[in-house]
Amino acid sequence: QVQLVESGGGLVQAGDSLRLTCAQTGRAFSSWYMAWFRQAPGKEREFVAAIRWSDGSPYYARSVMDRFTIAKDNAENTMYLQIYNVKPEDTAVYYCAAGVMHYYSDFDKEQPYDSWGQGTQVTVST
């Protein structure tokens, strides 16, 4: 059983940078993907970014690809999400997810991810 724990959220000012961390315990398989999703108040949860654990290939939602960077540390079994120039619209609960991807094109969907963290709140003030 994989467990995921997010950290790094908090109250930040617009224009600041922020790094979220997801620590995982358990086994990562060759077709393992990890991802970040977020849920803003009153909205559905949406895909933000994913990373293929085997080679670190990143995938981004079009709306964030110019300000977000996803990365991993194999030795620490940890994934990161660096957010530059945070904006009020980034206010959300950010969730870490992990799972085996049977179809490459499904990396931005919730269904393939069967392990989820409890989320970390990011609030951006103006």
Side-chain angles (χ1 to χ4, degrees), residues 64-81:
V64 305
M65 62 190 308
D66 59 339
R67 296 186 297 114
F68 288 32
T69 299
I70 190 170
K72 66 181 180 74
D73 183 328
N74 283 3
E76 297 294 329
N77 246 7
T78 300
M79 175 179 67
Y80 304 98
L81 184 70

PDB file of all heavy atoms in Angstrom, residues 64-81:
ATOM      1  N   VAL A  64      -0.990  25.889 -16.703  1.00  0.00           N
ATOM      2  CA  VAL A  64       0.061  26.119 -15.704  1.00  0.00           C
ATOM      3  C   VAL A  64       1.469  25.897 -16.248  1.00  0.00           C
ATOM      4  O   VAL A  64       2.442  26.121 -15.538  1.00  0.00           O
ATOM      5  CB  VAL A  64      -0.138  25.211 -14.465  1.00  0.00           C
ATOM      6  CG1 VAL A  64      -1.536  25.400 -13.883  1.00  0.00           C
ATOM      7  CG2 VAL A  64       0.105  23.743 -14.791  1.00  0.00           C
ATOM      8  N   MET A  65       1.611  25.458 -17.454  1.00  0.00           N
ATOM      9  CA  MET A  65       2.912  24.976 -17.923  1.00  0.00           C
ATOM     10  C   MET A  65       3.976  26.065 -17.971  1.00  0.00           C
ATOM     11  O   MET A  65       5.173  25.752 -17.997  1.00  0.00           O
ATOM     12  CB  MET A  65       2.768  24.303 -19.279  1.00  0.00           C
ATOM     13  CG  MET A  65       2.278  25.166 -20.389  1.00  0.00           C
ATOM     14  SD  MET A  65       1.894  24.161 -21.853  1.00  0.00           S
ATOM     15  CE  MET A  65       3.387  23.228 -22.059  1.00  0.00           C
ATOM     16  N   ASP A  66       3.588  27.323 -17.956  1.00  0.00           N
ATOM     17  CA  ASP A  66       4.612  28.369 -17.983  1.00  0.00           C
ATOM     18  C   ASP A  66       5.060  28.795 -16.586  1.00  0.00           C
ATOM     19  O   ASP A  66       6.034  29.550 -16.456  1.00  0.00           O
ATOM     20  CB  ASP A  66       4.091  29.590 -18.743  1.00  0.00           C
ATOM     21  CG  ASP A  66       2.839  30.173 -18.121  1.00  0.00           C
ATOM     22  OD1 ASP A  66       2.155  29.443 -17.366  1.00  0.00           O
ATOM     23  OD2 ASP A  66       2.534  31.355 -18.388  1.00  0.00           O
ATOM     24  N   ARG A  67       4.403  28.313 -15.535  1.00  0.00           N
ATOM     25  CA  ARG A  67       4.763  28.735 -14.173  1.00  0.00           C
ATOM     26  C   ARG A  67       5.015  27.582 -13.213  1.00  0.00           C
ATOM     27  O   ARG A  67       5.508  27.803 -12.111  1.00  0.00           O
ATOM     28  CB  ARG A  67       3.647  29.599 -13.580  1.00  0.00           C
ATOM     29  CG  ARG A  67       3.409  30.909 -14.298  1.00  0.00           C
ATOM     30  CD  ARG A  67       2.390  31.761 -13.550  1.00  0.00           C
ATOM     31  NE  ARG A  67       1.084  31.119 -13.482  1.00  0.00           N
ATOM     32  CZ  ARG A  67       0.526  30.695 -12.362  1.00  0.00           C
ATOM     33  NH1 ARG A  67       1.152  30.838 -11.209  1.00  0.00           N
ATOM     34  NH2 ARG A  67      -0.670  30.135 -12.391  1.00  0.00           N
ATOM     35  N   PHE A  68       4.665  26.367 -13.584  1.00  0.00           N
ATOM     36  CA  PHE A  68       4.801  25.223 -12.690  1.00  0.00           C
ATOM     37  C   PHE A  68       5.886  24.281 -13.218  1.00  0.00           C
ATOM     38  O   PHE A  68       6.015  24.084 -14.423  1.00  0.00           O
ATOM     39  CB  PHE A  68       3.486  24.432 -12.606  1.00  0.00           C
ATOM     40  CG  PHE A  68       2.386  25.119 -11.834  1.00  0.00           C
ATOM     41  CD1 PHE A  68       2.250  26.495 -11.804  1.00  0.00           C
ATOM     42  CD2 PHE A  68       1.451  24.362 -11.140  1.00  0.00           C
ATOM     43  CE1 PHE A  68       1.231  27.110 -11.094  1.00  0.00           C
ATOM     44  CE2 PHE A  68       0.421  24.956 -10.438  1.00  0.00           C
ATOM     45  CZ  PHE A  68       0.314  26.333 -10.415  1.00  0.00           C
ATOM     46  N   THR A  69       6.622  23.705 -12.281  1.00  0.00           N
ATOM     47  CA  THR A  69       7.617  22.698 -12.632  1.00  0.00           C
ATOM     48  C   THR A  69       7.463  21.505 -11.703  1.00  0.00           C
ATOM     49  O   THR A  69       7.472  21.668 -10.486  1.00  0.00           O
ATOM     50  CB  THR A  69       9.039  23.260 -12.508  1.00  0.00           C
ATOM     51  OG1 THR A  69       9.194  24.363 -13.401  1.00  0.00           O
ATOM     52  CG2 THR A  69      10.066  22.187 -12.866  1.00  0.00           C
ATOM     53  N   ILE A  70       7.339  20.334 -12.296  1.00  0.00           N
ATOM     54  CA  ILE A  70       7.236  19.103 -11.511  1.00  0.00           C
ATOM     55  C   ILE A  70       8.568  18.385 -11.574  1.00  0.00           C
ATOM     56  O   ILE A  70       9.235  18.387 -12.607  1.00  0.00           O
ATOM     57  CB  ILE A  70       6.080  18.210 -12.016  1.00  0.00           C
ATOM     58  CG1 ILE A  70       5.809  17.058 -11.046  1.00  0.00           C
ATOM     59  CG2 ILE A  70       6.362  17.695 -13.426  1.00  0.00           C
ATOM     60  CD1 ILE A  70       4.521  16.282 -11.369  1.00  0.00           C
ATOM     61  N   ALA A  71       8.968  17.805 -10.451  1.00  0.00           N
ATOM     62  CA  ALA A  71      10.257  17.123 -10.386  1.00  0.00           C
ATOM     63  C   ALA A  71      10.175  16.013  -9.351  1.00  0.00           C
ATOM     64  O   ALA A  71       9.227  15.939  -8.573  1.00  0.00           O
ATOM     65  CB  ALA A  71      11.364  18.116 -10.024  1.00  0.00           C
ATOM     66  N   LYS A  72      11.197  15.155  -9.345  1.00  0.00           N
ATOM     67  CA  LYS A  72      11.211  14.043  -8.398  1.00  0.00           C
ATOM     68  C   LYS A  72      12.614  13.804  -7.891  1.00  0.00           C
ATOM     69  O   LYS A  72      13.599  14.210  -8.521  1.00  0.00           O
ATOM     70  CB  LYS A  72      10.676  12.760  -9.053  1.00  0.00           C
ATOM     71  CG  LYS A  72      11.560  12.219 -10.179  1.00  0.00           C
ATOM     72  CD  LYS A  72      10.948  10.974 -10.781  1.00  0.00           C
ATOM     73  CE  LYS A  72      11.798  10.410 -11.910  1.00  0.00           C
ATOM     74  NZ  LYS A  72      13.002   9.740 -11.386  1.00  0.00           N
ATOM     75  N   ASP A  73      12.675  13.154  -6.753  1.00  0.00           N
ATOM     76  CA  ASP A  73      13.944  12.737  -6.164  1.00  0.00           C
ATOM     77  C   ASP A  73      13.810  11.241  -5.875  1.00  0.00           C
ATOM     78  O   ASP A  73      13.110  10.855  -4.939  1.00  0.00           O
ATOM     79  CB  ASP A  73      14.218  13.525  -4.879  1.00  0.00           C
ATOM     80  CG  ASP A  73      15.558  13.193  -4.260  1.00  0.00           C
ATOM     81  OD1 ASP A  73      16.009  12.028  -4.387  1.00  0.00           O
ATOM     82  OD2 ASP A  73      16.159  14.071  -3.640  1.00  0.00           O
ATOM     83  N   ASN A  74      14.460  10.435  -6.709  1.00  0.00           N
ATOM     84  CA  ASN A  74      14.333   8.984  -6.555  1.00  0.00           C
ATOM     85  C   ASN A  74      14.831   8.513  -5.195  1.00  0.00           C
ATOM     86  O   ASN A  74      14.224   7.656  -4.565  1.00  0.00           O
ATOM     87  CB  ASN A  74      15.108   8.272  -7.653  1.00  0.00           C
ATOM     88  CG  ASN A  74      14.377   8.299  -8.975  1.00  0.00           C
ATOM     89  OD1 ASN A  74      13.312   8.894  -9.102  1.00  0.00           O
ATOM     90  ND2 ASN A  74      14.953   7.663  -9.979  1.00  0.00           N
ATOM     91  N   ALA A  75      15.950   9.074  -4.767  1.00  0.00           N
ATOM     92  CA  ALA A  75      16.547   8.615  -3.514  1.00  0.00           C
ATOM     93  C   ALA A  75      15.622   8.875  -2.326  1.00  0.00           C
ATOM     94  O   ALA A  75      15.570   8.086  -1.388  1.00  0.00           O
ATOM     95  CB  ALA A  75      17.885   9.302  -3.299  1.00  0.00           C
ATOM     96  N   GLU A  76      14.906   9.986  -2.384  1.00  0.00           N
ATOM     97  CA  GLU A  76      14.023  10.356  -1.287  1.00  0.00           C
ATOM     98  C   GLU A  76      12.587   9.901  -1.529  1.00  0.00           C
ATOM     99  O   GLU A  76      11.725  10.103  -0.675  1.00  0.00           O
ATOM    100  CB  GLU A  76      14.048  11.868  -1.077  1.00  0.00           C
ATOM    101  CG  GLU A  76      15.411  12.417  -0.679  1.00  0.00           C
ATOM    102  CD  GLU A  76      15.845  11.929   0.689  1.00  0.00           C
ATOM    103  OE1 GLU A  76      14.965  11.704   1.549  1.00  0.00           O
ATOM    104  OE2 GLU A  76      17.056  11.759   0.890  1.00  0.00           O
ATOM    105  N   ASN A  77      12.326   9.283  -2.697  1.00  0.00           N
ATOM    106  CA  ASN A  77      10.959   8.878  -3.045  1.00  0.00           C
ATOM    107  C   ASN A  77       9.994  10.046  -2.890  1.00  0.00           C
ATOM    108  O   ASN A  77       8.906   9.909  -2.306  1.00  0.00           O
ATOM    109  CB  ASN A  77      10.515   7.720  -2.155  1.00  0.00           C
ATOM    110  CG  ASN A  77      10.301   6.446  -2.931  1.00  0.00           C
ATOM    111  OD1 ASN A  77      10.598   6.365  -4.119  1.00  0.00           O
ATOM    112  ND2 ASN A  77       9.775   5.433  -2.279  1.00  0.00           N
ATOM    113  N   THR A  78      10.397  11.174  -3.413  1.00  0.00           N
ATOM    114  CA  THR A  78       9.646  12.413  -3.209  1.00  0.00           C
ATOM    115  C   THR A  78       9.410  13.118  -4.525  1.00  0.00           C
ATOM    116  O   THR A  78      10.256  13.099  -5.420  1.00  0.00           O
ATOM    117  CB  THR A  78      10.423  13.341  -2.250  1.00  0.00           C
ATOM    118  OG1 THR A  78      10.596  12.668  -1.004  1.00  0.00           O
ATOM    119  CG2 THR A  78       9.681  14.638  -2.016  1.00  0.00           C
ATOM    120  N   MET A  79       8.248  13.731  -4.630  1.00  0.00           N
ATOM    121  CA  MET A  79       7.894  14.516  -5.799  1.00  0.00           C
ATOM    122  C   MET A  79       7.684  15.960  -5.367  1.00  0.00           C
ATOM    123  O   MET A  79       7.247  16.215  -4.238  1.00  0.00           O
ATOM    124  CB  MET A  79       6.609  13.970  -6.438  1.00  0.00           C
ATOM    125  CG  MET A  79       6.091  14.789  -7.596  1.00  0.00           C
ATOM    126  SD  MET A  79       4.591  14.099  -8.325  1.00  0.00           S
ATOM    127  CE  MET A  79       3.414  14.310  -6.992  1.00  0.00           C
ATOM    128  N   TYR A  80       7.988  16.890  -6.258  1.00  0.00           N
ATOM    129  CA  TYR A  80       7.865  18.305  -5.948  1.00  0.00           C
ATOM    130  C   TYR A  80       7.026  19.007  -7.009  1.00  0.00           C
ATOM    131  O   TYR A  80       6.977  18.585  -8.160  1.00  0.00           O
ATOM    132  CB  TYR A  80       9.244  18.962  -5.906  1.00  0.00           C
ATOM    133  CG  TYR A  80      10.202  18.314  -4.951  1.00  0.00           C
ATOM    134  CD1 TYR A  80      11.145  17.396  -5.407  1.00  0.00           C
ATOM    135  CD2 TYR A  80      10.174  18.608  -3.592  1.00  0.00           C
ATOM    136  CE1 TYR A  80      12.030  16.789  -4.536  1.00  0.00           C
ATOM    137  CE2 TYR A  80      11.060  18.008  -2.713  1.00  0.00           C
ATOM    138  CZ  TYR A  80      11.983  17.094  -3.194  1.00  0.00           C
ATOM    139  OH  TYR A  80      12.852  16.492  -2.322  1.00  0.00           O
ATOM    140  N   LEU A  81       6.421  20.081  -6.604  1.00  0.00           N
ATOM    141  CA  LEU A  81       5.767  20.984  -7.545  1.00  0.00           C
ATOM    142  C   LEU A  81       6.218  22.401  -7.205  1.00  0.00           C
ATOM    143  O   LEU A  81       5.877  22.923  -6.139  1.00  0.00           O
ATOM    144  CB  LEU A  81       4.248  20.890  -7.464  1.00  0.00           C
ATOM    145  CG  LEU A  81       3.496  21.736  -8.491  1.00  0.00           C
ATOM    146  CD1 LEU A  81       3.691  21.159  -9.901  1.00  0.00           C
ATOM    147  CD2 LEU A  81       2.005  21.819  -8.169  1.00  0.00           C
TER     148      LEU A  81
END
